[in-house]
Amino acid sequence: MGTGAGALTRRRYLVLAICCMSLLIVSVDTTALNVALPDIRADLHASVSGLQWVVDAYTLVLAGLLMLAGSTADRLGRRRVFRWGLALFVLGSLLCSLAPGLGWLVAARALQAVGGSMLNPVAMSIITNTFTEPRERARAIGVWGGVVGISMAAGPLLGGLLVQASGWQAIFWVNVPVGLAAMVLTTRYIPESRAPRARRADPGGQALMVVLLAALTFGIIESPHRGLLSPLVSGCAVVALLALVALPLYEARRSEPLIDPRFFRSVPFAGATATAVCAFAALGGFLFLTSLYLQEVRGMSALHAGLCMLPMAVMTLLFAPLSGRMVGNRGPRLPLLAAGAGLVACGVLLARTASADLPLGVLFTGFVLFGVGFGLVNAPITNAAVSGMPRAQAGVAAAVASTSRQVGSSLGVAVIGAVMAGATAGGGLRDAAGFQDAQRTAWWIIMGCGVAVFVLGAATTGRWARGTARRAAHLLEEPADAPPAPASRPAPHSARTGGKGTAQ
């Protein structure tokens, strides 16, 4: 009996290891790519806006498809969709490494993102389905979170090593053998599973979300070159605004919407969504800015630039698990306030001291402050997003938070890249004075993101906010188009238990 139980435990942790492989290649690819941006710019003759699209083509597609991928996996089979994701990610990586020009690279990055959207949310569903005992599940999710920290620490350094040894293409080559190995192991060891009742597809909501994100990001990236009042940029703003207005109106009419507008009646959920956008906008802008600054302005190699980012990455790795313990013991408010303070301190320090030859001690202090702030922010975002939600809706709430992270990253690269492109348009990135002005503005923007995280943490985690979460949870226990139940009528058993069947 014990031997059989031990074999079952080993198999479960093998499933966890396979899922973590997918997370590792996606996360390392994202963080390592930023170190390679100067080499891509030189090799493919890319402008700053071109580099923005290399990053944002991935995050935009990923943000637009995360929710669809999760519901598709629940309906068609998690293992099947996970393998499709691995196959597309490997193919996209291979095409990225062979890209002869910038346009080809951006298109291949978009294909990578289609595969990536089928990996992390589906892998989390597989883990939840595999580890059914709460204590084991918590440990498994802790390991999953640790892999994110490892990727943050290893990504810039590994990217620098690969670029220095073999060029920027090597960042994509390394995904191919790891992805193929994960495909084989998935076929061999991960059992197929589906949700007992999968959510229906919402193509209209999906289309509106993609239009909103694409129009907003395109307008921001192109505004320095075309002008804020140009027909193209103004048109993008109008389209984004119309999509933003139409999305909640359309979703409110559907029984199974892509994003249920009633979620946002929960102040902790709405706050977590906004906090994720702000925190990851800071991260996306930070990585984009510092990679170009270290290599283009200070003349460092890709390897040295990766080493310089280690203080930020190591602090993120150390403070992420600490944040999880703080959330468990005292709730999300304290780590959110500390996270906002860390980002603010970093932004103020580096904005006030911005220069082409800033002493490394000051630079590293700023990086440490950023790493502390960002390391503290992830756990309370996830906790606040699912706080008080019915168990049947917790997965969807977490997926919205994940989508918000990608949206934030896209916007951070778009906004800070636009600032840099506008300030250095005359002399290029090697115009030290122009870059210094842009850098100072960028750090003030990152400081503003930190202020937003702090304010949101204070405003959305109190007793009143928790009360709105409970009321939203009560609404979500009934279908969107169902009439309210009479007060004397008890709730169905499945609602009272939080939708037990959906966790299978």
Side-chain angles (χ1 to χ4, degrees):
M1 181 76 175
T3 304
L8 183 60
T9 299
R10 286 193 297 272
R11 183 165 186 127
R12 285 201 297 266
Y13 278 95
L14 180 58
V15 170
L16 175 62
I18 296 167
C19 291
C20 286
M21 285 176 68
S22 75
L23 175 64
L24 191 63
I25 59 174
V26 170
S27 300
V28 168
D29 179 272
T30 301
T31 53
L33 176 66
N34 282 277
V35 180
L37 290 177
D39 282 74
I40 293 173
R41 185 191 66 80
D43 191 31
L44 301 183
H45 309 291
S47 62
V48 172
S49 63
L51 296 181
Q52 289 171 272
W53 280 117
V54 171
V55 178
D56 274 355
Y58 183 90
T59 51
L60 269 178
V61 174
L62 192 69
L65 297 181
L66 276 172
M67 301 286 293
L68 176 64
S71 61
T72 301
D74 287 343
R75 186 167 55 255
L76 300 183
R78 299 179 180 113
R79 182 179 70 171
R80 176 185 296 180
V81 173
F82 190 65
R83 285 189 301 185
W84 290 350
L86 285 167
L88 286 173
F89 192 83
V90 167
L91 177 60
S93 299
L94 183 61
L95 293 176
C96 284
S97 70
L98 300 174
L102 184 67
W104 289 98
L105 179 58
V106 170
R109 287 281 290 163
L111 179 62
Q112 247 194 329
V114 175
S117 70
M118 302 179 192
L119 295 181
N120 291 358
V122 180
M124 181 54 72
S125 295
I126 291 171
I127 291 171
T128 303
N129 187 68
T130 301
F131 293 88
T132 54
E133 197 273 320
R135 189 179 299 248
E136 274 199 330
R137 180 182 295 171
R139 282 199 296 265
I141 293 174
V143 171
W144 174 267
V147 171
V148 175
I150 291 169
S151 70
M152 286 290 297
L157 182 57
L158 178 61
L161 285 168
L162 290 171
V163 170
Q164 190 140 317
S166 192
W168 61 266
Q169 293 88 346
I171 287 176
F172 300 107
W173 293 339
V174 74
N175 296 334
V176 176
V178 178
L180 291 175
M183 286 178 64
V184 172
L185 292 170
T186 297
T187 303
R188 176 69 178 84
Y189 293 107
I190 293 183
E192 185 60 280
S193 63
R194 295 177 177 83
R197 182 181 178 275
R199 298 173 73 247
R200 287 178 291 183
D202 180 11
Q206 187 70 58
L208 284 170
M209 177 181 283
V210 171
V211 169
L212 168 61
L213 297 178
L216 180 61
T217 306
F218 188 89
I220 294 172
I221 290 177
E222 294 299 319
S223 59
H225 313 290
R226 301 175 185 268
L228 286 173
L229 300 179
S230 67
L232 182 61
V233 173
S234 300
C236 285
V238 170
V239 170
L241 180 61
L242 290 175
L244 179 62
V245 172
L247 182 60
L249 296 176
Y250 174 83
E251 296 291 72
R253 296 174 178 271
R254 292 187 58 84
S255 59
E256 290 185 321
L258 182 73
I259 302 176
D260 196 325
R262 294 175 299 171
F263 280 168
F264 293 92
R265 297 189 184 185
S266 164
V267 169
F269 176 85
T273 302
T275 301
V277 171
C278 295
F280 277 77
L283 176 67
F286 174 90
L287 293 174
F288 191 83
L289 170 65
T290 54
S291 296
L292 294 179
Y293 167 72
L294 292 172
Q295 295 179 69
E296 297 285 0
V297 176
R298 298 192 72 117
M300 292 184 181
S301 67
L303 176 58
H304 287 155
L307 287 169
C308 281
M309 292 186 193
L310 272 181
M312 181 277 290
V314 170
M315 289 300 103
T316 299
L317 180 62
L318 292 177
F319 276 82
L322 174 63
S323 176
R325 288 194 292 272
M326 292 169 67
V327 170
N329 294 332
R330 303 190 61 177
R333 171 172 284 199
L334 180 60
L336 281 175
L337 295 179
L343 297 178
V344 168
C346 167
V348 171
L349 173 65
L350 295 180
R352 295 293 299 269
T353 59
S355 68
D357 54 354
L358 182 67
L360 287 179
V362 178
L363 189 67
F364 289 168
T365 300
F367 287 6
V368 165
L369 290 169
F370 188 93
V372 171
F374 186 76
L376 289 169
V377 83
N378 245 320
I381 285 174
T382 303
N383 176 272
V386 302
S387 175
M389 290 290 178
R391 189 169 150 198
Q393 302 286 350
V396 179
V400 175
S402 295
T403 300
S404 301
R405 291 180 175 97
Q406 300 302 325
V407 171
S409 183
S410 297
L411 293 178
V413 173
V415 171
I416 288 181
V419 168
M420 294 164 60
T424 60
L429 286 175
R430 295 190 182 275
D431 173 12
F435 195 102
Q436 182 172 323
D437 291 339
Q439 184 186 19
R440 185 176 293 110
T441 303
W443 287 121
W444 285 124
I445 292 171
I446 289 172
M447 184 275 291
C449 291
V451 170
V453 170
F454 188 93
V455 171
L456 288 166
T460 65
T461 56
R463 182 179 301 174
W464 167 76
R466 290 193 296 272
T468 66
R470 288 191 293 271
R471 290 191 291 273
H474 179 72
L475 288 173
L476 289 163
E477 286 174 347
E478 296 293 341
D481 55 354
S488 60
R489 181 181 172 186
H493 176 73
S494 60
R496 293 199 306 271
T497 57
K500 182 178 178 180
T502 60
Q504 298 302 314

